[in-house]
């Protein structure tokens, strides 16, 4: 069997941007130990849905599948880590050791009252935004006091973020910059394809992967054409189905940009 390609620098930086105690890595590690997403969720004291969110986010950031479903057997199937998932955990262990060594060295050079080591430990980005898409900047255009940033996903599809010009400067954005596009799930509407009536500037096509039904509108996980996942909400009564073609639409002002530090 051909060995998997090593994780890219961008994939490692994105997926391991937090310390190894990150709950998402804990869930991934537990899946490798017990061979079940539901059991891993229980062991990590999170819901099954939250466990899937962790898998989707890490997969997006790593740029390769980390978990694969298995079928058959006495338990009726389960899940196992891919070779890339195992690589990621090995890298996480290495980084955790190096991180602790670095923090110990900082603590030796600074008095506890300085608070330097605690501040370093808190620098990692944590966000409630469930949609996190690795992109590349392909164009920047001034629009009054704002800057419109056109972004390209790995399959060539594009989206737009509208941020302040000051933010664009502080991020040092330029054509070719690698960024992370973030959007709250509540800012993303999911429509049945082709959804030609929407006036929102961002439209990404995909297939419904999972649903959580609700009388106020279903929460929908969509697998985009590029393989990434997006989460949004459909209108009450739309009744999308798993496997159905759908479109996510969202405003350019709803897209927040982040870069690795």
């Amino acid at each position: 069997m051909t060995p998997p390609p090593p994780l890219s620098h961008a994939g490692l930086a994105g997926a391991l941007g937090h310390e190894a105690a990150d709950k998402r890595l804990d869930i991934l590690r537990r899946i490798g130990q017990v061979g079940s997403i539901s059991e891993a969720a229980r062991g990590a004291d999170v819901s099954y849905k939250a466990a899937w969110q962790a898998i989707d986010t890490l997969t997006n950031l790593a740029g390769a599948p980390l978990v694969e479903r298995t079928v058959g057997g006495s338990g009726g199937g389960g899940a196992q880590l891919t070779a890339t998932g195992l690589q990621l955990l090995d890298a996480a262990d290495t980084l955790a050791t190096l991180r602790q060594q670095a923090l110990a060295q900082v603590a030796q050079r600074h008095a506890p009252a300085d608070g330097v080591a605690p501040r370093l430990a808190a620098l990692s980005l944590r966000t409630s935004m469930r949609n996190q898409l690795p992109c590349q900047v392909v164009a920047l255009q001034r629009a009054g006091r704002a800057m419109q940033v056109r972004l390209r996903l790995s399959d060539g599809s594009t989206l737009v973020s509208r941020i302040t010009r000051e933010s664009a400067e502080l991020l040092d954005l330029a054509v070719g910059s690698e960024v992370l596009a973030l959007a709250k799930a509540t800012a993303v509407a999911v429509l049945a394809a082709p959804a030609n009536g929407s006036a929102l500037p961002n439209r990404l096509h995909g297939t419904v992967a999972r649903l959580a039904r609700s009388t106020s509108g279903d929460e929908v996980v969509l697998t985009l054409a590029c393989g990434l996942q997006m989460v949004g909400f459909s209108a009450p009564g739309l009744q999308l189905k798993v496997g159905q073609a759908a479109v996510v639409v969202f405003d350019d002002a709803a897209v927040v940009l982040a870069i690795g530090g």
Side-chain angles (χ1 to χ4, degrees):
M1 180 180 295
T2 303
L7 277 167
S8 67
H9 179 273
L12 278 173
L16 298 180
H18 309 298
E19 59 183 290
D22 187 327
K23 182 70 78 174
R24 298 174 305 182
L25 290 173
D26 179 38
I27 292 167
L28 191 67
R29 195 181 307 279
R30 290 176 185 273
I31 292 172
Q33 293 169 347
V34 302
S36 165
I37 296 173
S38 58
E39 286 294 328
R42 279 191 284 270
D45 197 26
V46 301
S47 68
Y48 181 73
K49 180 178 170 183
W52 264 113
Q53 177 183 331
I55 296 167
D56 288 345
T57 300
L58 283 177
T59 297
N60 282 357
L61 296 176
L66 305 177
V67 175
E68 60 185 5
R69 304 296 291 267
T70 59
V71 296
S74 59
Q80 64 183 19
L81 299 186
T82 64
T84 303
L86 293 171
Q87 285 181 15
L88 184 67
L89 288 181
D90 182 68
D93 291 339
T94 300
L95 287 177
T97 299
L98 295 174
R99 180 178 181 276
Q100 290 303 318
Q101 292 173 352
L103 289 176
Q105 291 176 6
V106 171
Q108 289 176 355
R109 291 199 298 267
H110 296 272
D114 292 343
V116 173
R119 286 199 299 272
L120 285 175
L123 285 178
S124 295
L125 172 68
R126 295 198 178 202
T127 175
S128 64
M129 294 190 185
R130 295 177 60 182
N131 294 307
Q132 304 183 27
L133 307 176
C135 302
Q136 184 180 65
V137 176
V138 294
L140 297 104
Q141 182 176 359
R142 290 187 178 185
R145 291 300 306 166
M147 180 75 75
Q148 282 193 323
V149 185
R150 184 164 294 277
L151 308 163
R152 182 172 58 209
L153 295 170
S154 60
D155 68 335
S157 56
T158 60
L159 61 151
V160 178
S161 173
R162 177 159 49 92
I163 61 177
T164 65
R165 287 162 54 183
E166 291 79 8
S167 293
E169 292 173 2
L170 292 173
L171 289 174
D172 197 23
L173 294 181
V175 172
S177 296
E178 301 290 338
V179 301
L180 200 61
L182 311 173
K184 297 191 299 182
T186 51
V188 176
V190 183
L191 310 175
N196 293 324
S198 173
L200 292 174
N202 288 313
R203 299 166 51 88
L204 296 174
H205 294 258
T207 304
V208 176
R210 296 194 302 280
L211 291 160
R213 299 290 188 192
S214 172
T215 56
S216 60
D218 297 340
E219 181 180 307
V220 184
V221 179
L222 206 70
T223 299
L224 303 179
C226 61
L228 301 180
Q229 286 77 39
M230 281 202 74
V231 185
F233 290 85
S234 63
L238 185 57
Q239 293 296 306
L240 292 170
K241 297 179 180 179
V242 172
Q244 181 178 345
V247 180
V248 289
V249 296
F250 47 102
D251 192 56
D252 53 1
V255 181
V256 175
L257 301 183
I259 59 174

